Amino acid sequence: SAASKPPTIKKPLKKAAKKSASKPSAKKSEKEDGKWETPKRRRIVTKAKADSHGKDEPVEGGKVSVPKIGSKSKAKTAAPKTVTRTKKAAVISAKSTNVDMDSELKNAAVPAGAPIRKFDELQISIDGAARGNPGLASFGVCVLDDKGQKVQSVARQIGKATSNVAEWNGLLEGMRIALSLGAKRVCMKSDSMLVVNQIEGTWRVKQPHLIPLHQDAMTMAKKFDSFSVKWIPREENHVADSLANHALDSGDANWEH
């Protein structure tokens, strides 16, 4: 009828209006409220990274540049390689080192009839070896001039002895070579703390069989204007070590360079 009221129709809320009433973004609220701040990802930018066109390069101090988000490459710090070598390992690898030793030293021999050379300053590396302690023993001596050039190399067996006796015999042979070459200043290098400390007087010589060797060394040391001994790590004494093992495998040898 005309008097009846038409039914009311409820209209659905618009999504756009609901969206407009939502909370502002975090980035916007940072500037407006100042209450909190979204942490930002830090990146280390280096010249090496710029030059590598996005490839990760290590930077000084062991730090690594941070890769871009979504990048497949992973930055890693390169761990330093350490090399350790024991006396037993050196003996086992003696045959492999002898091949290079032979080819190097035979090609460097001084021709027969060459004039006798004289040197004011020499650096001499020594090493002793014994297969069994005591056992078949030997020593190696490598003589260098003041410019680091090889002068003479010696590999010699001494029969059955301890490694300490072999070290002392190597020292005495190096001193005899230095005297024959007219050296006035000599620096001996050895990886044996026993020999170095006993020569310097830091350690006492208690073993009776080492006392005569120590006395001979101290007597010859007085014949030089300057004489010193220096301890070096085994890794830096590989030439003398190879010579000592060469003597055990192939017998005595003496090369003049």
Side-chain angles (χ1 to χ4, degrees):
S1 63
S4 61
K5 294 181 180 181
T8 58
I9 300 173
K10 294 182 179 182
K11 295 182 180 180
L13 295 175
K14 293 183 180 180
K15 292 183 179 180
K18 188 176 182 179
K19 186 176 181 180
S20 62
S22 62
K23 186 179 179 179
S25 62
K27 189 173 182 181
K28 186 177 180 181
S29 65
E30 289 174 14
K31 297 179 181 180
E32 293 178 357
D33 300 337
K35 295 179 180 179
W36 60 278
E37 182 179 357
T38 304
K40 298 181 180 180
R41 184 183 295 273
R42 300 181 64 188
R43 299 179 66 248
I44 303 173
V45 181
T46 62
K47 187 177 183 300
K49 185 174 180 65
D51 295 341
S52 61
H53 303 287
K55 295 182 180 179
D56 300 318
E57 296 288 340
V59 296
E60 186 177 1
K63 296 182 180 179
V64 181
S65 57
V66 179
K68 296 180 179 179
I69 300 175
S71 175
K72 295 182 180 180
S73 62
K74 295 182 180 180
K76 296 181 179 180
T77 304
K81 296 182 178 180
T82 57
V83 180
T84 57
R85 189 179 185 186
T86 61
K87 193 81 172 180
K88 185 176 181 180
V91 172
I92 294 174
S93 62
K95 292 185 179 180
S96 61
T97 58
N98 284 340
V99 177
D100 297 333
M101 184 66 63
D102 289 341
S103 60
E104 177 186 355
L105 297 178
K106 286 181 180 178
N107 294 332
V110 174
I116 299 175
R117 299 168 295 169
K118 296 293 182 180
F119 299 88
D120 288 336
E121 184 175 348
L122 292 174
Q123 300 180 21
I124 305 176
S125 299
I126 62 169
D127 193 29
R131 293 183 179 171
N133 207 13
L136 181 60
S138 66
F139 62 78
V141 178
C142 181
V143 183
L144 306 177
D145 61 14
D146 56 349
K147 297 179 181 179
Q149 300 296 319
K150 288 183 180 178
V151 175
Q152 190 170 348
S153 301
V154 176
R156 185 172 303 163
Q157 290 186 14
I158 60 173
K160 186 177 181 180
T162 64
S163 59
N164 289 335
V165 171
E167 295 277 358
W168 273 104
N169 277 273
L171 176 75
L172 293 172
E173 180 62 20
M175 297 175 74
R176 283 190 286 265
I177 293 173
L179 288 173
S180 67
L181 294 173
K184 298 178 181 179
R185 297 178 298 278
V186 176
C187 177
M188 307 291 295
K189 298 181 180 181
S190 172
D191 57 28
S192 171
M193 295 190 69
L194 177 80
V195 171
V196 172
N197 283 283
Q198 287 182 342
I199 283 289
E200 291 181 338
T202 307
W203 294 359
R204 293 177 56 189
V205 185
K206 298 180 181 180
Q207 298 87 347
H209 61 287
L210 296 181
I211 293 176
L213 302 174
H214 178 265
Q215 291 175 346
D216 290 345
M218 299 308 294
T219 300
M220 277 194 287
K222 297 177 182 179
K223 298 181 181 180
F224 301 103
D225 293 345
S226 173
F227 178 84
S228 62
V229 289
K230 179 182 179 181
W231 180 86
I232 58 175
R234 184 162 190 80
E235 291 77 15
E236 297 180 14
N237 203 28
H238 58 88
V239 176
D241 176 72
S242 298
L243 288 167
N245 283 295
H246 178 91
L248 293 175
D249 292 328
S250 306
D252 297 352
N254 187 355
W255 297 273
E256 293 184 357
H257 303 275

